[in-house]
Amino acid sequence: MLVAKESRTAIGFEEGRNDGAKWFGDLTRSRFAGPVTPHHRVLSREVSPETLAVHAGTYEDPVTGAVGTPVFQTSTFLLDDASYAAFSDGTSRDVPIYTRYGNPSQWSVQEKIAALEGSRSALVTSSGMSATASTIYALTNAGSHIVSAYDVYGGTYNLLREDMPSAGREVTFVDPCDPDAVRAAIRPETQLLFFETLTNPLLKAPSVRGLAEIAKEANALLVVDNTFLTPVNMRPLELGADVVVHSATKYLAGHSDLTAGAVVGRRKFLDRIWAQALRFGGTLEPLSAFLLERGMKTLPLRVRAQNANAAEVARFLAGHERIAAVHHPELGGPRYAGLERADYGGFGGMVSFEVRGGDEAALEFMKKLRIPYVATSLGGVESLVSMPSNTSHSSLTARQRSRIGINPGLVRFSVGIENVRDLVRDLDEALGAPAEEDKR
Ligand SMILES: *Cc1c(COP(=O)(O)O)cnc(C)c1O
């Protein structure tokens, strides 16, 4: 056999490393990872990502021998002695009882995501926002303080800005690439640092190691949103992050056909976040869990193709006279001077760039593209383009946008897995094409 199945009882609950914030110090109850059933395929984290993506977490159905995980399309499960024991022992996360608590279809994906991120435990939720909201609420108390970035994903920004103050959490927003500013924002009551490993839409690449160090000094937890990079390009837990969240809607699912979120980290954090998600009701439907698991089997193949395509698209755009600026780490330059290259497998499929002539010119250019769809979202197999100024960042004033570096004419390109020569030809024609040329 290629890979050894670890016995469920052999998986200890990892203690040590960054012991995180003080209020978790007494949460020492020994737990197994998971949850999984004895029929879920649990693989060693030493196995390579391509193999984990295909096999980790698969439910091997003992009745039919089905090769893939069945869709456990049920809201509830028969109660037996194990269920009653789980209720009385407080282990209801580990036993099939009710789908909002857990479902074997979810557990399959959770095990796959945990394996790819190099962790023991994961949680899937109904959306990226439910993953982020549950995580932030679960890991902070009223009276605490959070440090985050001006240019985090819009939904995250709104949550931090609108909901946290009324929930008794104060938030300071800083530039994630300025360690002095991050450090200066720390207060005695800081419990959480929340940053993105590669930011939207300007592809800022903060040092996760540096942020982890600051969090550790502050006895606070570092949570990172790894949506843009995926575990194929970065495994933030290995760089010192405590918890990783994803909008699984994007690269993890990869086909623009479902909405889901994920949280990864040590079980003692995940149990708390699970309990919060349970109360918020952020359950992932079994059918979406099935689609997510299926999509993830090709994650390393897709993401590597997107890494290469995006880098080539970025290089082409950087040399084009109608383009004023291109944001992509592969291009180097002063913004990426401190980049810890060894921490990245690649930089994902996102490129953003400024079309000369401002938003009008950028809109005209997008209309002329034949291959990419003009749509928000990202991370699917198909290329998508959109403008942050009239979508994700439309609620900001022009001045706020320029403060974070979103200049007029900025286009965000989520590069798909199409043939890159076709994409480059399409871009070239759209940038040079006469105005009356029709789309498609
Ligand atoms: C899309 C996105 C989210 C929100 O995810 P949903 O699945 O839409 O709830 C959070 N963070 C990043 C970086 C995203 O791109």
Side-chain angles (χ1 to χ4, degrees):
M1 269 282 274
L2 177 61
V3 283
K5 206 180 270 197
E6 292 178 3
S7 132
R8 200 145 79 102
T9 48
I11 303 170
F13 165 53
E14 285 168 297
E15 288 296 338
R17 209 176 51 82
N18 176 1
D19 235 328
K22 45 263 176 199
W23 65 97
F24 283 116
D26 53 1
L27 253 181
T28 49
R29 191 161 42 127
S30 176
R31 290 294 219 100
F32 302 129
V36 286
T37 70
H39 301 297
H40 281 93
R41 197 163 190 191
V42 175
L43 302 182
S44 156
R45 277 30 177 171
E46 305 306 312
V47 172
S48 28
E50 296 79 4
T51 308
L52 291 174
V54 175
H55 292 292
T58 303
Y59 182 93
E60 297 172 328
D61 182 41
V63 176
T64 63
V67 163
T69 302
V71 185
F72 289 90
Q73 192 68 37
T74 181
S75 62
T76 191
F77 299 85
L78 297 181
L79 292 168
D80 60 11
D81 288 346
S83 342
Y84 297 126
F87 276 117
S88 64
D89 301 346
T91 57
S92 49
R93 194 181 165 208
D94 293 277
V95 178
I97 292 172
Y98 182 61
T99 287
R100 184 160 50 80
Y101 291 47
N103 174 300
S105 290
Q106 299 164 0
W107 296 349
S108 286
V109 204
Q110 289 177 179
E111 178 58 23
K112 199 187 289 298
I113 296 175
L116 287 165
E117 285 282 9
S119 182
R120 290 293 181 200
S121 198
L123 174 70
V124 288
T125 61
S126 55
S127 67
M129 278 314 300
S130 76
T132 297
S134 302
T135 300
I136 292 176
Y137 272 93
L139 299 183
T140 55
N141 304 122
S144 69
H145 174 247
I146 297 167
V147 182
S148 188
Y150 292 113
D151 48 355
V152 283
Y153 175 77
T156 307
Y157 183 76
N158 292 339
L159 175 83
L160 292 169
R161 178 109 210 164
E162 306 296 325
D163 299 321
M164 285 300 111
S166 56
R169 282 85 158 161
E170 280 193 51
V171 187
T172 304
F173 297 96
V174 296
D175 176 354
C177 295
D178 181 351
D180 293 336
V182 178
R183 204 170 259 117
I186 300 287
R187 301 182 194 166
E189 65 273 22
T190 304
Q191 284 186 331
L192 194 87
L193 278 66
F194 187 101
F195 293 104
E196 293 170 357
T197 53
L198 192 63
T199 73
N200 173 32
L202 295 172
L203 303 170
K204 290 183 192 163
S207 163
V208 174
R209 288 180 194 274
L211 293 169
E213 214 166 279
I214 296 171
K216 202 169 176 184
E217 282 166 21
N219 205 19
L221 298 175
L222 174 63
V223 178
V224 295
D225 180 333
N226 199 29
T227 299
F228 272 36
L229 283 176
T230 83
V232 178
N233 287 329
M234 179 181 277
R235 305 216 295 183
L237 298 172
E238 291 170 4
L239 305 178
D242 296 289
V243 172
V244 172
V245 297
H246 279 278
S247 170
T249 311
K250 316 291 171 52
Y251 288 101
L252 295 186
H255 296 74
S256 306
D257 55 1
L258 63 92
T259 301
V263 189
V264 196
R266 294 157 69 192
R267 175 96 197 220
K268 73 173 174 184
F269 299 141
L270 267 286
D271 279 351
R272 258 182 103 108
I273 298 163
W274 167 79
Q276 185 70 65
L278 202 65
R279 295 192 290 270
F280 282 159
T283 314
L284 186 65
E285 273 296 298
L287 189 56
S288 292
F290 163 78
L291 286 170
L292 177 54
E293 184 185 354
R294 176 180 148 136
M296 284 189 67
K297 292 184 188 199
T298 55
L299 179 74
L301 298 179
R302 284 187 281 107
V303 168
R304 288 197 187 112
Q306 285 164 304
N307 287 346
N309 282 2
E312 192 149 339
V313 163
R315 282 190 290 268
F316 164 76
L317 290 168
H320 200 286
E321 56 182 7
R322 284 203 57 205
I323 302 300
V326 184
H327 306 283
H328 191 278
E330 205 76 64
L331 298 175
R335 268 186 59 204
Y336 298 111
L339 194 78
E340 288 141 336
R341 182 73 225 219
D343 293 341
Y344 299 82
F347 300 105
M350 303 302 293
V351 182
S352 61
F353 53 96
E354 287 167 27
V355 178
R356 289 192 201 279
D359 287 351
E360 286 283 300
L363 269 175
E364 271 307 298
F365 152 75
M366 290 198 307
K367 277 188 204 152
K368 288 177 194 151
L369 288 169
R370 293 158 190 270
I371 297 172
Y373 290 114
V374 180
T376 189
S377 197
L378 61 113
V381 290
E382 64 289 298
S383 290
L384 299 180
V385 285
S386 62
M387 285 170 56
S389 64
N390 61 11
T391 57
S392 55
H393 294 71
S394 62
S395 62
L396 303 186
T397 63
R399 184 188 300 220
Q400 285 172 319
R401 281 198 292 269
S402 79
R403 185 171 165 206
I404 55 179
I406 299 176
N407 294 327
L410 189 78
V411 173
R412 191 184 77 176
F413 190 170
S414 170
V415 183
I417 62 165
E418 300 95 340
N419 184 302
V420 74
R421 285 188 302 276
D422 294 339
L423 294 175
V424 166
R425 191 182 312 123
D426 193 23
L427 287 165
D428 198 19
E429 285 173 6
L431 286 168
E436 65 278 5
E437 192 166 333
D438 274 336
K439 195 179 173 209
R440 272 182 272 277

